[in-house]
């Protein structure tokens, strides 16, 4: 199921890229080729079709992304193995119970020796 959703999303991404590349940012693009009045789809209808296709593909990719995120089983999985759980508990506990000695961060300055008369 996961692999099928990924493949569909990749196909939709490629189609979205192609539709965006077909469009001209100034309103020309593919629709500029349909200048003749004998065409089935006029200039305005081609622009509307490409715009609606862009919106449909973008929304489909967003929905598929959410579905893929929900369908993936991940995160922390609980282990059923008691020996493994015991090892984790031992590793997380400190090994020594004696308090650590603190080491001063600065070395005290040495006192000058008293002067002899």
């Amino acid at each position: 199921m996961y692999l099928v959703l990924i493949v569909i999303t990749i196909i939709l991404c490629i189609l979205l890229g192609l539709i965006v590349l077909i469009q001209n940012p100034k309103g020309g693009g593919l629709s500029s080729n349909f200048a003749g009045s004998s065409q089935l789809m006029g200039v305005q209808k081609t622009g509307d079709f490409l715009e609606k296709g862009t919106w449909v593909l973008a929304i489909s990719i967003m929905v598929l992304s959410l579905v893929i995120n929900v369908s993936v089983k991940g995160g922390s999985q609980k282990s059923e193995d008691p020996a493994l759980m015991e090892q984790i508990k031992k590793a997380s506990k400190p090994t020594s119970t004696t308090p650590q000695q603190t080491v001063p961060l600065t070395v005290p300055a040495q006192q000058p020796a008293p002067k002899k008369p």
Side-chain angles (χ1 to χ4, degrees), residues 74-79:
S76 61
Q77 297 179 355
K78 295 191 176 185
S79 175

Side-chain angles (χ1 to χ4, degrees), residues 13-34:
C13 287
I14 292 171
L15 288 174
L16 180 64
L18 290 175
I19 285 183
V20 168
L21 288 175
I22 288 172
Q23 296 176 7
N24 189 359
K26 295 182 180 176
L30 182 64
S31 60
S32 66
N33 294 335
F34 295 119

Side-chain angles (χ1 to χ4, degrees), residues 1-6 67 71:
M1 176 75 174
Y2 173 72
L3 187 61
V4 172
L5 291 174
I6 293 291
V67 169
S71 69

Side-chain angles (χ1 to χ4, degrees), residues 20-113:
V20 168
L21 288 175
I22 288 172
Q23 296 176 7
N24 189 359
K26 295 182 180 176
L30 182 64
S31 60
S32 66
N33 294 335
F34 295 119
S37 61
S38 63
Q39 299 293 332
L40 283 174
M41 291 174 49
V43 175
Q44 184 63 32
K45 288 185 180 180
T46 303
D48 290 343
F49 174 73
L50 291 175
E51 184 179 349
K52 287 180 184 177
T54 303
W55 280 105
V56 167
L57 287 174
I59 292 171
S60 329
I61 291 171
M62 285 189 280
V63 169
L64 277 173
S65 298
L66 293 173
V67 169
I68 290 171
N69 191 21
V70 169
S71 69
V72 173
K73 293 181 181 178
S76 61
Q77 297 179 355
K78 295 191 176 185
S79 175
E80 303 278 332
D81 189 13
L84 181 62
M85 294 302 290
E86 189 65 32
Q87 284 181 345
I88 292 172
K89 286 180 184 177
K90 284 181 183 177
S92 63
K93 290 183 181 178
T95 56
S96 65
T97 57
T98 60
Q100 299 289 330
Q101 292 182 349
T102 58
V103 178
L105 295 176
T106 59
V107 179
Q110 292 192 4
Q111 298 290 332

